[in-house]
Amino acid sequence: MDFPARFQLVTAMNPCPCGYLGDAGGQCRCTPDQVARYRGRISGPLLDRIDLQLFVPRVAREQLLDAESAAESSSTVRTRVSAARRQQLLRQQHPNARLGPRELERHCRLNPETRELLEQAMSRLQLSARGVHRVLRVSRTIADLADATSIEVVHLAEALRYRELDRATASA
């Protein structure tokens, strides 16, 4: 008997045990050791398999209650996402998330400047092969959302920002 194993995992965690690390109110009193122990509860190999990791700061009361938000509407985002997905299906017959290593070589070619940025990030972030492949898939998706034919530095830089938690919270 076979069981399908394709799923999308969405998870969240506080930046520290008290939940206030990086908060503009400055209420966190956790020590760096407490933060390290708290974050160490998630294994490196598991984190390596999570494509997008980002710090989401608390929304200010004024902004939360402001009816005139500058954010894109859901229908605008839906249109861009649908167009990007169509492009992926036309190009490779499946979403970027399912690109294999050979397909990554074909569909995620990098120009010299973009390749240099990736090489620097591999060193600085100590990316595994799996991590590099995930960054390339996310970069390809960001390029598709921007309706770009190739991955540019801006697309790769955005994908790399999603691989590392906010630096303000990383150093308690």
Side-chain angles (χ1 to χ4, degrees):
M1 198 179 229
D2 289 332
F3 295 100
R6 283 199 183 109
F7 63 93
Q8 183 175 30
L9 174 67
V10 178
T11 183
M13 73 182 276
N14 286 329
C16 67
C18 77
Y20 288 106
L21 183 64
D23 187 59
Q27 299 175 359
C28 180
R29 300 291 180 246
C30 298
T31 67
D33 284 344
Q34 288 173 319
V35 173
R37 268 195 314 279
Y38 178 75
R39 290 188 179 175
R41 293 166 53 189
I42 308 290
S43 75
L46 177 61
L47 278 175
D48 201 30
R49 288 170 170 84
I50 298 176
D51 291 344
L52 308 176
Q53 302 172 29
L54 58 144
F55 176 73
V56 180
R58 182 191 334 220
V59 178
R61 247 181 296 166
E62 302 79 29
Q63 189 179 4
L64 187 62
L65 298 174
D66 184 12
E68 295 294 318
S69 177
E72 287 181 283
S73 70
S74 294
S75 63
T76 301
V77 172
R78 181 179 47 244
T79 301
R80 279 194 309 121
V81 169
S82 295
R85 184 165 172 82
R86 263 192 313 278
Q87 177 60 34
Q88 293 169 23
L89 296 176
L90 285 171
R91 183 178 53 238
Q92 71 242 0
Q93 291 72 55
H94 52 81
N96 293 337
R98 293 186 32 214
L99 288 173
R102 284 201 169 86
E103 291 174 303
L104 285 170
E105 290 176 18
R106 191 174 332 128
H107 301 300
C108 299
R109 289 206 169 111
L110 304 177
N111 63 42
E113 184 183 8
T114 308
R115 184 180 185 86
E116 182 180 332
L117 174 61
L118 181 58
E119 289 171 358
Q120 290 172 3
M122 288 168 65
S123 257
R124 187 173 56 85
L125 300 175
Q126 298 177 337
L127 293 175
S128 66
R130 179 183 296 115
V132 170
H133 289 172
R134 290 186 179 278
V135 166
L136 288 172
R137 288 184 194 106
V138 172
S139 298
R140 179 68 264 172
T141 300
I142 293 167
D144 290 340
L145 287 167
D147 199 24
T149 56
S150 62
I151 297 172
E152 300 298 330
V153 168
V154 65
H155 307 133
L156 179 63
E158 183 175 344
L160 288 166
R161 282 193 304 272
Y162 294 140
R163 282 300 290 184
E164 55 184 325
L165 292 173
D166 183 74
R167 289 297 171 205
T169 66
S171 55

